[in-house]
Amino acid sequence: PGLVARHAAWRAMTAIRHYRAPDGTFRKVLPFDQARREVAGWQAVAGLLPVPCLRGVREVQDGCEVVYEDVMASGRCCRLLADSINAADRQVGQAAVVRSLVNRVCDSLLAAFGATGAVSRLEDCVPDLHMARLTPGRRLDRWYIRPPLPAWAIDGQRFNLGDLASRALVAGGHTLGAMWPPAFTEQRSALAGHTRWTTAITQGDVTEPNITEPLCWLDFEHAGRNVLAGDVANFLWYLLAMGGWLVPTYQASVYERTLCTPVPPVATPTINDLRVTTRRVEIDYTWHVGTGRRTALTTLLQRTGGDLGMAVAADGDLTGRLRPFLILRILGVIPLGQMSGPHAALCLAKLAELSSPDLTLPDWCEAVAVAPLKQPSHVTCEQVGRLPP
């Protein structure tokens, strides 16, 4: 009944189907190999992180059904981090909830690192979010190297990636590196299987729909030994761009079925000026976000500037450790070819900014918060479902 019955709160993109059962369980029907991976991932993190109880696994006609405790129906959790951020974007006084939850996520990563941290080869970690996408012939090659290449209308002209590769990018008056890597040689070298990283046993896909309030981790397809820098980069890009802009815009059906209360973002990045010449792409933009999302970003940046950052990069080169994973997130989650020209230009600008040797994460994540919509300051999780968009 109520909020629980009206909205699905789990993300199961690879599931054949998923549903809430009357017995208070959440069930995912997966192909057999994915079900094995899901269960193995849950088993890897169950003693380390707050997770739902695994009730059982059974074979069904169209695959394998993995049965979990429904943490929303049981009252253990009330909404997702994405919902908490959206609520704080709209309600005075809700930012403290977001700050606390993001800190809990960082604490959970650090606890996993304290218990299972090790320096490991990348090839010994869960491969799907990183190495597999860079494998020749796989996702990045299919999206960007093989024809037809993505093409956009920008500044009244039509361009593809090759057209942009030969132009310098000027953003905010600063000339940055190449907008587009014509091949993935550098990325494949940075994330080669033999490279060694600080790792831990984690959930592996640190995104807003996989985190509940109070903290419980959902979705275990990528759980196991993961690179800590990859987890942080994933979380950072999701907070900066995916959750409050790209997913609602380009994966609207996923956004609708995932969140408890899917509401439109209150703010998205804005291009102030965009001009393309024979040698340059000049872009001036303002990265607008809601106050809740700004709070989440600020909290994560404070932790990466302290204890979490030291765990990721003991040598102090946090940006260098995050850089290849951030590039992979920008290119490898939503294809730039699906985006409008201005939106692709914004993502390419963020990509180019990563090439600056003087880059700091706070500068890269600089965002301007819009004023929250005026709502009562004391709002419960259940009331969030009744707020207007």
Side-chain angles (χ1 to χ4, degrees):
L3 179 65
V4 170
R6 290 197 303 270
H7 301 290
W10 283 35
R11 184 184 190 184
M13 302 252 331
T14 56
I16 297 172
R17 56 192 170 91
H18 52 94
Y19 63 99
R20 298 180 178 281
D23 62 355
T25 59
F26 182 88
R27 299 170 179 240
K28 297 171 68 172
V29 179
L30 301 160
F32 288 103
D33 60 335
Q34 292 177 10
R36 284 193 295 270
R37 187 185 313 164
E38 173 90 10
V39 172
W42 180 91
Q43 290 172 335
V45 298
L48 296 167
L49 308 176
V51 297
C53 294
L54 178 62
R55 301 297 191 195
V57 182
R58 67 189 187 98
E59 187 174 341
V60 293
Q61 184 174 2
D62 51 350
C64 188
E65 186 173 70
V66 183
V67 183
Y68 289 107
E69 164 200 11
D70 187 338
V71 295
M72 300 295 179
S74 69
R76 177 178 168 185
C77 304
C78 58
R79 59 185 177 186
L80 302 172
L81 173 57
D83 299 301
S84 301
I85 290 172
N86 284 339
D89 283 346
R90 289 164 166 78
Q91 303 158 49
V92 176
Q94 288 291 298
V97 176
V98 172
R99 185 178 302 110
S100 176
L101 187 50
V102 172
N103 273 320
R104 289 285 308 278
V105 171
C106 295
D107 291 342
S108 189
L109 290 174
L110 284 170
F113 171 69
T116 65
V119 175
S120 308
R121 296 176 303 178
L122 189 60
E123 63 192 3
D124 295 328
C125 299
V126 178
D128 290 355
L129 290 182
H130 309 303
M131 287 183 61
R133 296 182 182 191
L134 275 169
T135 300
R138 298 287 292 274
R139 177 179 292 191
L140 292 187
D141 278 5
R142 292 199 307 268
W143 285 1
Y144 301 112
I145 302 300
R146 296 180 177 180
L149 294 175
W152 306 276
I154 302 175
D155 191 28
Q157 306 172 68
R158 188 170 179 82
F159 298 96
N160 62 30
L161 289 175
D163 297 324
L164 296 178
S166 61
R167 290 166 167 83
L169 175 71
V170 181
H174 301 285
T175 301
L176 303 168
M179 280 193 75
W180 172 250
F184 296 107
T185 303
E186 184 176 345
Q187 283 298 104
R188 287 175 177 139
S189 175
L191 297 177
H194 67 270
T195 57
R196 301 180 70 83
W197 300 83
T198 299
T199 69
I201 303 296
T202 68
Q203 181 266 357
D205 190 14
V206 190
T207 59
E208 297 164 30
N210 290 336
I211 297 162
T212 71
E213 178 198 334
L215 179 61
C216 182
W217 294 90
L218 310 177
D219 196 354
F220 307 103
E221 178 184 0
H222 304 292
R225 183 155 296 279
N226 287 288
V227 177
L228 202 56
D231 280 357
V232 172
N234 195 356
F235 197 25
L236 189 63
W237 181 242
Y238 212 96
L239 291 176
L240 183 65
M242 296 289 291
W245 172 40
L246 294 175
V247 172
T249 302
Y250 294 102
Q251 295 181 342
S253 62
V254 173
Y255 187 77
E256 287 286 328
R257 73 171 183 261
T258 299
L259 273 67
C260 296
T261 309
V263 292
V266 301
T268 56
T270 302
I271 292 180
N272 307 317
D273 186 53
L274 177 61
R275 190 162 70 96
V276 182
T277 70
T278 56
R279 295 185 178 182
R280 292 151 60 103
V281 176
E282 300 175 2
I283 183 170
D284 180 69
Y285 67 85
T286 304
W287 207 273
H288 286 117
V289 297
T291 55
R293 188 160 298 280
R294 174 71 182 276
T295 298
L297 276 167
T298 300
T299 304
L300 179 58
L301 287 171
Q302 288 170 344
R303 297 299 294 269
T304 57
D307 52 359
L308 184 58
M310 284 299 297
V312 171
D315 62 358
D317 186 16
L318 177 64
T319 303
R321 302 305 278 177
L322 295 183
R323 182 178 284 110
F325 296 101
L326 287 170
I327 291 171
L328 204 55
R329 300 315 291 171
I330 294 171
L331 296 176
V333 181
I334 297 176
L336 300 188
Q338 283 187 7
M339 300 181 191
S340 69
H343 288 178
L346 280 166
C347 290
L348 288 170
K350 284 297 181 190
L351 186 74
E353 288 169 8
L354 287 170
S355 68
S356 171
D358 301 324
L359 178 76
T360 68
L361 283 182
D363 288 342
W364 193 70
C365 295
E366 183 178 356
V368 176
V370 300
L373 302 180
K374 292 185 178 180
Q375 296 288 349
S377 58
H378 301 291
V379 183
T380 66
C381 289
E382 289 76 14
Q383 289 171 323
V384 172
R386 298 192 291 273
L387 288 175

